């Protein structure tokens, strides 16, 4: 409803029975929700395997970008992107989302990098990949559950139209994707200190239990939700809706710019 009321068309992306779907019915979305953790988490690496296996898949940012691009979609809204994990010097755990942003021409709208990650290193990696990182209406880069990470954003844009202009030039020049970080509204953000304590506790538990790879992010997010008594989940829902609003506005401007370039 939020996306349609702002002039864009929503198209949820997933794999149903191994078949990529760009646009899901309510029944399909509900089915994936009921299946829960039985649905395979699908990154770019997993696309071919899941399609060949004929199973259901929930796409990460990287896989969603791939399928969105194949479908001609230029703007994609999500909660937060993956990034460089804390302790990367020991684990080499870096999300493929960052590589995807460097090569696939899709503008990703999010609430920043998940605060469970190393935000400064993630921004450095995005710079290496040549990704324009814009923050909407503030100087600091947001950290998913909270509006500010305390890290200065590489770029600031004041309007959806300005963000769309940057994204359209990036795409038109064949330079890869773009990232727009939309801070969660202050009235909906979680307490930064409480969230940071919860993350630290969950990271220790993950290390103790030997949780690694693509299982670590859902493990930590679930733990943070339990420790904060659901406050982090409430913030997650609010930020996704806010991202959808801004993302729809960006998409309509990108569509308008694309049309003008053809006239």
């Amino acid at each position: 409803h939020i996306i349609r009321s702002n002039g864009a068309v929503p198209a949820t992306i997933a794999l149903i029975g191994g078949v990529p779907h760009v646009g899901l019915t309510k029944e399909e979305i509900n089915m994936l929700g009921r299946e829960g953790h039985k649905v395979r988490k699908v990154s770019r690496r997993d696309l071919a395997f899941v399609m060949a296996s004929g199973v259901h898949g929930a796409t990460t940012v990287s896989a969603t970008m791939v399928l969105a691009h194949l479908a001609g979609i230029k703007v994609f809204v999500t909660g937060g992107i993956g990034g460089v994990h804390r302790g990367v010097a020991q684990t080499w755990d870096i999300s493929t989302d960052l590589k995807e942003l460097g090569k696939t021409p899709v503008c990703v709208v999010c609430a920043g990098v998940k605060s469970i990650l190393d935000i400064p290193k993630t921004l450095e990696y995005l710079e290496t990949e040549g990704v324009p990182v814009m923050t909407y209406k503030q100087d600091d880069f947001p950290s998913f559950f909270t509006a500010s990470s305390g890290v200065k954003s590489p770029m600031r844009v004041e309007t959806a139209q300005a963000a769309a202009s940057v994204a359209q030039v990036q795409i038109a020049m064949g330079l890869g994707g773009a990232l727009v970080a939309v801070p969660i509204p202050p009235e909906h953000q979680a307490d930064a200190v409480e969230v940071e304590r919860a993350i630290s506790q969950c990271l220790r538990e993950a290390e103790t239990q030997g949780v690694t790879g693509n299982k670590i992010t859902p493990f930590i997010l679930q733990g943070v939700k339990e420790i904060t008594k659901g406050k982090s989940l409430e913030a997650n829902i609010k930020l996704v809706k806010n991202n959808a609003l801004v993302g729809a506005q960006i998409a309509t401007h990108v569509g308008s710019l694309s049309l003008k370039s053809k006239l």
Side-chain angles (χ1 to χ4, degrees):
H1 174 71
I2 292 172
I3 292 172
R4 291 187 187 279
S5 63
N6 280 276
V9 178
T12 304
I13 293 177
L15 287 93
I16 306 294
V19 179
H21 281 54
V22 180
L24 300 180
T25 64
K26 288 184 179 180
E27 290 74 18
E28 288 169 335
I29 292 173
N30 289 335
M31 179 275 293
L32 291 173
R34 288 193 303 271
E35 291 293 306
H37 293 299
K38 295 178 183 177
V39 178
R40 188 181 179 99
K41 182 178 178 181
V42 182
S43 184
R44 166 184 271 267
R45 175 197 67 179
D46 310 296
L47 275 170
F49 179 81
V50 172
M51 290 173 67
S53 301
V55 298
H56 300 325
T59 52
T60 65
V61 169
S62 65
T64 304
M65 288 182 72
V66 170
L67 297 178
H69 175 52
L70 290 173
I73 295 172
K74 293 184 178 181
V75 180
F76 156 49
V77 172
T78 187
I81 65 167
V84 178
H85 281 255
R86 302 185 191 191
V88 67
Q90 288 74 45
T91 65
W92 284 81
D93 194 345
I94 302 172
S95 172
T96 192
D97 295 352
L98 306 184
K99 293 285 290 184
E100 205 65 52
L101 277 160
K103 61 187 175 184
T104 302
V106 173
C107 176
V108 177
V109 181
C110 66
V113 177
K114 295 183 179 73
S115 48
I116 63 176
L117 305 172
D118 189 320
I119 294 175
K121 286 187 176 64
T122 297
L123 292 176
E124 287 288 347
Y125 197 103
L126 286 169
E127 179 189 11
T128 301
E129 290 295 320
V131 180
V133 177
M134 300 165 270
T135 295
Y136 188 66
K137 293 186 177 181
Q138 74 175 34
D139 292 329
D140 282 358
F141 189 77
S143 60
F144 197 63
F145 293 124
T146 56
S148 174
S149 64
V151 180
K152 187 174 177 59
S153 176
M155 305 168 191
R156 172 175 174 156
V157 289
E158 298 297 331
T159 65
Q161 185 174 9
S165 296
V166 175
Q168 178 62 18
V169 172
Q170 177 81 355
I171 291 170
M173 292 184 69
L175 298 175
L179 185 70
V180 182
V182 181
I184 182 173
E187 64 271 22
H188 298 314
Q189 69 177 344
D191 180 83
V193 175
E194 182 181 11
V195 170
E196 184 59 36
R197 285 174 179 166
I199 290 170
S200 297
Q201 180 178 331
C202 291
L203 284 169
R204 290 193 297 270
E205 291 177 0
E207 184 175 1
T208 300
Q209 296 181 35
V211 180
T212 58
N214 63 5
K215 295 180 180 179
I216 194 164
T217 297
F219 176 87
I220 294 174
L221 289 176
Q222 177 63 26
V224 171
K225 184 186 82 170
E226 293 173 358
I227 294 170
T228 62
K229 298 179 180 178
K231 292 179 184 176
S232 64
L233 178 60
E234 292 174 12
N236 199 338
I237 294 170
K238 296 292 185 181
L239 68 84
V240 167
K241 289 182 177 181
N242 190 53
N243 293 350
L245 187 153
V246 178
Q249 294 171 349
I250 292 172
T252 58
H253 285 299
V254 167
S256 176
L257 290 168
S258 299
L259 179 62
K260 288 178 181 178
S261 68
K262 295 176 182 178
L263 297 177

